[in-house]
Structure formats: structure tokens, C-alpha cells
Amino acid sequence: MITRSNPAVGYMAADVFKTNAFTQTIRAGNTLYLSGIAPLKGELNSLELVGEGSMQVQTEWVLEILKRCLAAEGATLRNWVAQTVYVTDIAESIKTMAIFNEFFGEHTPTSTLVEVKGLFHPQQMTAHRPSNRGNPDVTWPDAQRNLHHPGTRSRRPPD
């Protein structure tokens, strides 16, 4: 079963998702997928950049939205297993690495850091592409609490 949602977590309004033809959260079986998260909030006609000029504030906002999206699906940052972080300045982003340790604690995901020429908003400095795999042996909603724990098998759920 596939469930799509744009949880009301103080991020972007429904009209942003509809106009740009994407969904924030998709649950397919025991796997949870999230669209990339940008430091933005609001409705389409008044979309606001959070933390203009501050990689730290933008990163904190993106991780907070990730945490809220996971909570809306009954999961936590402990369940998260992988991310790709896009930044416009790697040297500046290195200064924000402590934020990731604060958010993830000892349950850090795998991570790839990529420098890009530009992002959606001209003053946007970062965007995160979270990714996750569920445990196909756990039925939903228990999978929410067990998306990834040491010793669990990770294999693709049946199509």
C-alpha cells in the first residue's frame, strides 16, 4: 500500500506541493520516503526563505522539518539511515557539522555532502535529501518505531 501526505508541520503549504507536482512524504509498505527539504516556509505566493545569509539557521530549519515530518509518520531521527546534503559552499557548511551531531546524537545516518552552483531560492544555501529503508518484516505501524535498528534485515519490500 502506498500513502502520500504533505503533513502540516509548519513547512510549505499545500499549494506549493500541488503547483510543483510533488509530495513531501510517501509511505510504501514499511519504507518511508521524503522529498528534499529546503529552508522555506509558507504559501506559494508568499514563500519565505528561513535564515537568509546563515548556513547554520538554514541547516537547523531543514533538520527541524525533517524531525517534524518523521514525527508525523510516527518515526524519529533515530530511524533515519541516509541523507544527501546539497550546499552552495562546502567550506561554509563544514562550520555547521556540529548541528548534525546535536540533532542525530549517536544515531547518525550515512551522509553525502555535495556542493552545487545554486538551489531553488537564490539565497538558499542548503537543501537536504533524506532517504530511508524500512524493515519489511515488521507490520505498520510497528515499522515506524523499527525502520532501522542494528540487527534488522534490510531488503526491498515486494513490488
Side-chain angles (χ1 to χ4, degrees):
M1 179 173 172
I2 296 176
T3 306
R4 292 172 170 81
S5 69
N6 297 313
V9 295
Y11 183 39
M12 294 190 290
D15 64 340
V16 176
F17 296 106
K18 183 169 180 61
T19 300
N20 293 292
F22 74 102
T23 301
Q24 185 59 52
T25 305
I26 296 179
R27 184 175 62 206
N30 294 335
T31 303
L32 181 63
Y33 299 92
L34 269 70
S35 290
I37 301 173
L40 301 169
K41 67 179 181 178
E43 296 183 15
L44 185 62
N45 63 355
S46 60
L47 205 54
E48 174 187 341
L49 177 69
V50 175
E52 185 171 337
S54 174
M55 179 81 72
Q56 178 165 332
V57 172
Q58 290 187 20
T59 300
E60 289 170 344
W61 176 255
V62 166
L63 290 172
E64 179 61 30
I65 295 302
L66 168 61
K67 188 164 76 172
R68 292 176 190 180
C69 286
L70 289 171
E73 292 294 326
T76 69
L77 291 171
R78 179 185 174 123
N79 303 120
W80 216 245
V81 298
Q83 67 180 352
T84 302
V85 179
Y86 298 93
V87 298
T88 56
D89 183 342
I90 284 186
E92 185 66 25
S93 75
I94 297 301
K95 299 174 189 175
T96 68
M97 289 300 128
I99 297 168
F100 290 95
N101 285 322
E102 291 172 24
F103 268 83
F104 290 111
E106 63 184 53
H107 304 286
T108 55
T110 63
S111 187
T112 301
L113 180 61
V114 180
E115 184 174 275
V116 296
K117 181 179 177 182
L119 294 161
F120 180 77
H121 188 283
Q123 282 78 42
Q124 183 178 342
M125 302 169 79
T126 189
H128 297 217
R129 173 69 174 103
S131 52
N132 199 14
R133 294 204 55 104
N135 180 352
D137 297 324
V138 179
T139 58
W140 208 267
D142 290 338
Q144 295 296 330
R145 293 185 298 279
N146 296 298
L147 289 173
H148 180 73
H149 288 265
T152 60
R153 291 183 298 177
S154 179
R155 68 172 192 262
R156 186 182 183 107
D159 293 326

